[in-house]
Amino acid sequence: MRLRKEEITRKLLHLFALVMPIGIFYIPKWSMPDYLPTSLLAIFLVGSIVVETLRFRIPAVQKVFYLFFGSMLREEESSKTTGSTYVVGAALLCSILFRNHPHISFMVLSLFILGDAVAAIVGISIGRIKIGKKSLEGSAACFLLCITLFYGVFPFVPGLLEQWGNRVPFLIVLVTSFAITFFELIPLKITPKFTINDNLAVPVIAGYTMLGLSVLLGI
């Protein structure tokens, strides 16, 4: 399948979402209130939900929305909430659930945002072995990127791994990378008609995976 310019642009714009994990981790370190990241994300999420709701109900809002973002929307997002709103929701949940572990929020959100982007680009461009709507090649790219981030990026992010002795144990690297790859690939169906959006669920699942393993390893 040909990789459309719009899909590349869509994934490049997703890089701006990295502002969220950066804010969750660093804002409290900048002598600002530790509740500020959660508050900002809550405001942003409410605003996003309002825009999403209005675009479905008011033609004028929909026209403006499509003018700016229409070329980047996937077919299913024409009538459903966009993935970006779910990503904001995931960041908000992580900031609350892992409030005492902001380094975990930073890592799982960064892993998912970048891993999801790479999986989509590789899957659309060279994916041949299909698994549902996605591809094995895309999942392999996601997994390899997660490993690369754990070993090639996170140890060099200032202050990120201080609690873990500036390194991530191999078990956490392997299991968390697999969890992100697996749940990004396999739909989280609760009932035949209800599936949890992976943009919302995967970072939270990965966060609890990482937290549970850190407790198990005593770090």
Side-chain angles (χ1 to χ4, degrees):
M1 182 183 297
R2 180 174 174 269
L3 183 62
R4 297 185 305 133
K5 177 183 176 181
E6 291 79 9
E7 185 67 25
I8 296 175
T9 303
R10 173 190 172 93
K11 293 308 178 183
L12 288 175
L13 285 175
H14 277 196
L15 295 180
F16 286 106
L18 292 173
V19 170
M20 294 187 291
I22 291 172
I24 290 172
F25 183 72
Y26 282 111
I27 283 179
K29 291 182 176 294
W30 294 335
S31 300
M32 297 182 185
D34 58 1
Y35 60 79
L36 184 57
T38 300
S39 300
L40 291 174
L41 287 168
I43 293 171
F44 193 26
L45 179 60
V46 170
S48 185
I49 291 173
V50 168
V51 171
E52 295 270 21
T53 302
L54 291 178
R55 79 178 175 97
F56 294 135
R57 298 184 178 183
I58 302 177
V61 175
Q62 185 181 60
K63 184 177 180 180
V64 174
F65 187 87
Y66 271 77
L67 178 65
F68 287 98
F69 306 109
S71 64
M72 291 179 288
L73 291 179
R74 289 177 176 165
E75 185 177 348
E76 65 270 17
E77 291 177 330
S78 298
S79 58
K80 294 182 179 179
T81 304
T82 60
S84 58
T85 297
Y86 285 109
V87 172
V88 177
L92 176 60
L93 283 175
C94 286
S95 72
I96 296 171
L97 298 173
F98 311 119
R99 182 175 180 177
N100 296 324
H101 310 278
H103 60 298
I104 288 180
S105 293
F106 181 99
M107 285 189 279
V108 296
L109 287 168
S110 299
L111 289 165
F112 177 73
I113 291 168
L114 295 174
D116 179 68
V118 167
I121 291 173
V122 171
I124 292 172
S125 59
I126 64 172
R128 297 293 181 270
I129 305 173
K130 296 299 181 181
I131 302 176
K133 293 183 179 181
K134 300 184 180 182
S135 73
L136 182 61
E137 293 87 348
S139 293
C142 176
F143 183 79
L144 290 175
L145 180 71
C146 289
I147 298 294
T148 301
L149 290 173
F150 270 122
Y151 285 120
V153 176
F154 292 158
F156 304 101
V157 176
L160 181 63
L161 300 179
E162 286 180 352
Q163 292 181 252
W164 291 357
N166 293 318
R167 59 180 291 273
V168 183
F170 176 73
L171 182 62
I172 292 180
V173 171
L174 184 64
V175 176
T176 304
S177 297
F178 178 78
I180 289 175
T181 302
F182 180 80
F183 289 107
E184 191 275 336
L185 175 65
I186 304 300
L188 293 165
K189 284 192 174 183
I190 305 302
T191 69
K193 294 185 178 181
F194 179 68
T195 301
I196 301 177
N197 188 279
D198 62 336
N199 293 289
L200 180 67
V202 175
V204 175
I205 293 172
Y208 274 116
T209 299
M210 190 177 287
L211 179 60
L213 289 172
S214 66
V215 172
L216 180 66
L217 297 173
I219 58 174

